[in-house]
Amino acid sequence: MENMAEEELLPLEKEEEVAQVLISAPDSARVPAPAPDSAPTPDSAPTPASAPAPAPALAQAPALSPSLASAPDEAESKRHISIQRQLADLEKLAFETEDFDSSSSLNLDNLDAGNKQACPLCPKEKFRACNSHKLRRHLQNLHWKVSVEFEGYTMCICHLPCRPVKPSIIGEQISSKMGAHYHCIICSATITRRTDMLGHVRRHVNKGETKSRYIAASAAKPPNEILKEADTDVQVGPNYSIPQKTDSYFNPKMKLNRQLIFCTLAALAEERKPLECLDAFGATGIMGLQWAKHLGNAVKVTINDLNENSVTLIQENCHLNKLKVVVDSKEKEETDEVLEEGEEKLGNIQVTKMDANVLMHLRSFDFIHLDPFGTSVNYLDSAFRNVRNLGIVSVTSTDISSLYAKAQHVARRHYGCNIVRTEYYKELAARIVVAALARAAARCNKGVEVLFAVALEHFVLVVVRVLRGPTSADETAKKIQYLIHCQWCEERIFQKDGNMVEEHPYRQLPCNCHGSMPGKTAIELGPLWSSSLFNTGFLKRMLVESLHHGLDDIQPLVKTLIFESECNPQSQFSVHSPANPNKQGKRKGSETVTSLAKKQKTDVSTEHPPFYYNIHRHSIKGMNMPKLKKFLCYLSQAGFRVSRTHFDPMGVRTDAPLMQFKSILLKHSTPTNTGGQPEGPVPPAPEDTVADRVEAAVTDRAEASSCRRL
């Protein structure tokens, strides 16, 4: 076996071979080598593959940590000597390295050093050999104190010439000063600054990379996990919920989104069949698999993805659900897989690997779903280019930071829209996406009819029906308007149509903030979609399909959308009366809704009031507001259209002006109990004083705001 001094001097390409020899050799074999003048025996003669070559000194070659190399659980990893678990390991490494140097007889000065040791992380010209207590203080103050910790390991700062540094010219001399750096335990990269190293490790953690690449390469590939959703099996890889780490991203939180899209396609399949459907961004293919498995011959599904690994996973998931895979219009033959007796293929799925824009330009579809990671504005033009008449385009946008006015510059760049954070920001986001779809359709001489728009915590889903013709495109373009929003009282109104420029457009607001407040009180938002966001007839057909396919998770949401589109609280209270119906009750309810849907051959959009008010935002200070359900009854009894909204659990959609809204809220509120006041409700104030009290409250709030402003 080679002696240790010669092994440390091998070239860089032989490092892995040396590491295996070091690990496999017993402790008794690690003895100092004989002197150079002694003749080697034939047994100890080096082979040509491992013959030592001239190399720099020990401190100038990347070294392997003996403490890490001797560990049995990390025998396959090669970490730099600057990565240790404890300070004692680093000190032990200094003694072992000094023993190797003294026995190699390459550095004769070490023979006279006595008990002095050199630092293993510094060149000898920078830090000379010293006593053990000085070396311990040097290691602790210079290397260990500014280290970076990660999962029990400490990455100390290294001063060895591991990182190439450009020489600098000082006067007439060239200085090749080596800089300090850190070695990453995961990817073996060298980072100069400690803050950069912390960020580098944090990015590894965010991507799910917590093991060294050497261990990951040698370990066996973990088996894929099989999940089940809506009677559909899907195979997902490790870290499937982290989009930066895996190619086939699968988000379990988007189950509600997938069920809404499935009910939309099922309702469209009742009109005409077969439908050519496209899932433009398949990932694992779970959405297209559900379409083909539950709708059968009514749909012809195409799942597309640009990533090759995702395409392979989609094909495996198709065979897992006993679905035929069609690649390039030819059925892919599977010779390894043999079906059991009684099992049959359920349907065909075409899997493509190309850019989504190219695919939508080449082919025509009846149903297109776009769910990219982020915004979808880059794919809208190609989606509306070849979509068939009366087809449906559904878009899922997950760039909520820009849509929810957290990144206003991004919203202006992607959607060409000016927005601010308001109390109705979720509906504002939905109207922004609909306006983007309407403009893209109008460029293709097509109009859109909004079937429904949903904005939840982590996504915005918009589904529109495509209407061909320049007339429909013109009618759609007229519904894109600007919104005037009061920043003091949250009142809002769409700007009136007309080409004349107004001197003070905020005077169109029904509030009096522009007259009582100094300066400008309103801001112009948009352009936004100003028409209805829901189609009542289509939503009822979706409810029928959810009952038919047993999708219980989305039924409360679809019912809320129906009541919100009608904006009538009476039907809302009557429909929610039967709780926990049995199977026969579900069947009877399904038949009733089916007969109602058959009578309504054409879907009619009921215009509902735009936006909503939050009851907590407009509550009166010092007053206990009524329950939300009772307050809806009070507004309805006053003659206003009113309903709840899915955008905000405490939101109220109504056509009542804000002044009337506050007046009714104040009328049915009770004062907060104080020390000397008796408990119980206080009789309501007379009708003639309600408006005065509301106006006084608004005036007080305005004065307080103006004082804070000054």
Side-chain angles (χ1 to χ4, degrees):
M1 182 178 176
E2 298 289 332
N3 58 67
M4 296 299 297
E6 293 174 344
E7 288 174 356
E8 293 291 346
L9 297 176
L10 289 179
L12 295 177
E13 61 269 10
K14 303 300 181 181
E15 183 181 357
E16 182 177 358
E17 203 172 302
V18 175
Q20 295 179 357
V21 174
L22 283 175
I23 295 169
S24 59
D27 296 336
S28 60
R30 302 180 183 182
V31 294
D37 53 356
S38 61
T41 61
D43 296 336
S44 62
T47 60
S50 61
L58 173 64
Q60 297 181 356
L64 177 67
S65 173
S67 61
L68 292 179
S70 60
D73 56 339
E74 296 172 0
E76 298 173 349
S77 63
K78 304 189 300 295
R79 295 189 177 92
H80 195 264
I81 59 175
S82 62
I83 303 174
Q84 300 291 336
R85 286 188 177 272
Q86 298 177 358
L87 180 60
D89 297 335
L90 193 60
E91 297 176 2
K92 182 179 178 182
L93 179 64
F95 288 102
E96 293 180 1
T97 307
E98 182 64 25
D99 292 340
F100 298 156
D101 290 342
S102 61
S103 61
S104 63
S105 71
L106 295 177
N107 191 351
L108 300 178
D109 297 336
N110 292 334
L111 298 177
D112 301 332
N115 295 328
K116 295 183 179 181
Q117 294 85 23
C119 177
L121 300 180
C122 294
K124 294 185 178 180
E125 59 270 13
K126 181 177 180 180
F127 184 81
R128 296 183 180 180
C130 60
N131 297 329
S132 59
H133 66 281
K134 291 184 178 180
L135 176 63
R136 185 179 296 108
R137 186 168 60 250
H138 167 78
L139 293 175
Q140 184 175 5
N141 295 336
L142 180 63
H143 298 283
W144 195 267
K145 191 174 182 179
V146 292
S147 59
V148 178
E149 297 183 358
F150 177 75
E151 293 190 356
Y153 287 95
T154 302
M155 293 171 278
C156 303
I157 191 168
C158 176
H159 293 272
L160 297 177
C162 309
R163 180 184 177 90
V165 179
K166 295 182 179 180
S168 58
I169 300 177
I170 302 177
E172 297 180 355
Q173 298 180 355
I174 298 179
S175 174
S176 59
K177 184 179 180 181
M178 307 305 295
H181 56 274
Y182 296 88
H183 291 266
C184 180
I185 190 175
I186 300 175
C187 64
S188 69
T190 55
I191 309 296
T192 55
R193 300 178 59 184
R194 185 175 184 273
T195 55
D196 297 341
M197 188 64 192
L198 292 173
H200 179 80
V201 174
R202 194 180 300 113
R203 284 191 293 271
H204 278 305
V205 175
N206 293 337
K207 295 180 180 180
E209 299 172 352
T210 57
K211 295 184 179 180
S212 175
R213 65 175 183 178
Y214 304 108
I215 299 179
S218 60
K221 183 179 180 181
N224 292 336
E225 183 181 357
I226 297 179
L227 305 178
K228 191 169 186 178
E229 180 181 302
D231 297 332
T232 304
D233 297 328
V234 57
Q235 186 177 191
V236 297
N239 300 322
Y240 58 86
S241 60
I242 305 176
Q244 294 89 351
K245 174 63 178 175
T246 180
D247 298 326
S248 55
Y249 175 57
F250 177 79
N251 190 359
K253 296 182 180 180
M254 298 292 285
K255 179 180 179 181
L256 190 65
N257 176 275
R258 288 187 284 267
Q259 292 185 357
L260 284 173
I261 298 169
F262 175 81
C263 290
T264 302
L265 181 58
L268 181 63
E270 295 296 327
E271 299 178 4
R272 61 184 188 271
K273 57 183 69 172
L275 296 174
E276 294 191 19
C277 312
L278 172 64
D279 184 8
F281 302 90
T284 59
I286 177 64
M287 190 173 297
L289 294 173
Q290 293 177 356
W291 299 348
K293 191 169 184 179
H294 295 283
L295 298 180
N297 297 327
V299 294
K300 295 181 180 179
V301 181
T302 301
I303 305 178
N304 175 72
D305 203 289
L306 189 59
N307 187 274
E308 185 175 358
N309 297 331
S310 296
V311 172
T312 304
L313 187 60
I314 292 171
Q315 295 175 1
E316 295 177 358
N317 289 331
C318 290
H319 298 305
L320 185 63
N321 291 273
K322 301 177 180 59
L323 296 169
K324 293 182 180 180
V325 180
V326 179
V327 181
D328 296 332
S329 301
K330 295 181 180 179
E331 183 177 350
K332 183 179 180 181
E333 298 180 358
E334 288 290 331
T335 57
D336 298 334
E337 181 181 4
V338 179
L339 294 177
E340 298 180 0
E341 295 182 0
E343 293 186 355
E344 297 179 356
K345 290 289 184 180
L346 299 178
N348 298 338
I349 290 183
Q350 183 175 0
V351 181
T352 58
K353 177 184 175 296
M354 63 177 64
D355 187 82
N357 285 323
V358 176
L359 178 60
M360 290 184 289
H361 274 292
L362 293 177
R363 293 178 52 188
S364 299
F365 295 95
D366 299 291
F367 183 87
I368 297 176
H369 176 63
L370 302 176
D371 187 8
F373 186 72
T375 182
S376 57
V377 294
N378 298 328
Y379 306 95
L380 296 181
D381 290 334
S382 56
F384 285 100
R385 177 67 60 184
N386 285 333
V387 64
R388 294 191 176 97
N389 189 27
L390 300 180
I392 289 181
V393 175
S394 64
V395 174
T396 300
S397 299
T398 55
D399 54 334
I400 58 176
S401 60
S402 60
L403 293 175
Y404 289 174
K406 295 180 181 178
Q408 302 177 9
H409 61 287
V410 181
R412 188 178 298 108
R413 181 173 71 246
H414 287 170
Y415 300 95
C417 182
N418 179 36
I419 56 174
V420 294
R421 185 77 170 191
T422 61
E423 66 172 342
Y424 50 92
Y425 65 94
K426 288 189 177 181
E427 184 172 347
L428 199 66
R431 293 184 179 274
I432 290 173
V433 178
V434 175
L437 268 69
R439 288 194 297 268
R443 287 193 291 268
C444 301
N445 288 333
K446 297 175 184 177
V448 296
E449 177 191 5
V450 183
L451 300 181
F452 66 91
V454 177
L456 298 180
E457 182 180 358
H458 51 281
F459 71 90
V460 176
L461 173 63
V462 173
V463 178
V464 298
R465 187 190 296 272
V466 180
L467 307 174
R468 282 195 171 185
T471 303
S472 301
D474 294 339
E475 293 295 329
T476 299
K478 291 180 181 179
K479 298 178 182 179
I480 302 177
Q481 300 178 1
Y482 285 90
L483 182 73
I484 303 177
H485 169 79
C486 180
Q487 300 189 79
W488 293 101
C489 64
E490 295 283 342
E491 184 63 284
R492 76 297 304 235
I493 189 174
F494 280 103
Q495 193 171 1
K496 296 179 181 179
D497 295 334
N499 298 327
M500 302 302 295
V501 179
E502 296 187 10
E503 183 179 359
H504 301 290
Y506 52 82
R507 291 181 178 176
Q508 299 179 14
L509 290 168
C511 64
N512 193 30
C513 296
H514 63 276
S516 58
M517 302 292 179
K520 297 181 180 180
T521 59
I523 187 173
E524 191 177 63
L525 307 180
L528 307 172
W529 178 259
S530 61
S531 186
S532 175
L533 291 178
F534 310 103
N535 188 304
T536 307
F538 192 85
L539 288 173
K540 290 180 178 179
R541 292 163 53 191
M542 288 180 58
L543 182 60
V544 174
E545 298 299 332
S546 65
L547 293 171
H548 177 69
H549 294 279
L551 304 178
D552 299 333
D553 296 338
I554 66 167
Q555 291 176 14
L557 177 59
V558 176
K559 290 179 181 179
T560 304
L561 296 178
I562 293 174
F563 304 143
E564 189 174 358
S565 64
E566 294 176 347
C567 202
N568 188 1
Q570 300 298 330
S571 60
Q572 181 174 353
F573 300 144
S574 62
V575 172
H576 279 291
S577 56
N580 299 327
N582 53 15
K583 294 183 179 180
Q584 295 180 358
K586 285 185 178 180
R587 189 179 299 111
K588 291 182 179 179
S590 176
E591 293 176 357
T592 303
V593 181
T594 304
S595 61
L596 181 62
K598 288 182 178 179
K599 290 180 181 179
Q600 187 177 4
K601 295 182 180 180
T602 58
D603 298 334
V604 179
S605 297
T606 305
E607 290 290 339
H608 56 81
F611 302 111
Y612 53 88
Y613 299 104
N614 187 290
I615 188 173
H616 284 293
R617 167 68 174 79
H618 300 286
S619 60
I620 309 300
K621 185 178 181 180
M623 305 288 287
N624 292 329
M625 62 182 183
K627 298 293 184 180
L628 182 59
K629 185 180 294 186
K630 292 183 178 180
F631 182 67
L632 295 178
C633 294
Y634 297 149
L635 283 175
S636 180
Q637 293 173 2
F640 298 107
R641 298 179 60 192
V642 61
S643 70
R644 300 186 67 173
T645 175
H646 81 281
F647 292 110
D648 189 353
M650 298 304 297
V652 178
R653 185 180 296 279
T654 179
D655 58 349
L658 183 59
M659 185 64 67
Q660 296 293 333
F661 183 89
K662 290 185 176 181
S663 175
I664 297 175
L665 182 61
L666 177 62
K667 178 180 178 181
H668 297 281
S669 299
T670 57
T672 305
N673 294 327
T674 56
Q677 294 182 354
E679 297 182 359
V682 179
E687 294 289 340
D688 54 348
T689 62
V690 171
D692 297 334
R693 294 175 61 183
V694 172
E695 187 174 358
V698 173
T699 304
D700 295 341
R701 181 177 296 180
E703 292 177 356
S705 302
S706 61
C707 293
R708 291 194 300 267
R709 194 174 183 181
L710 295 175

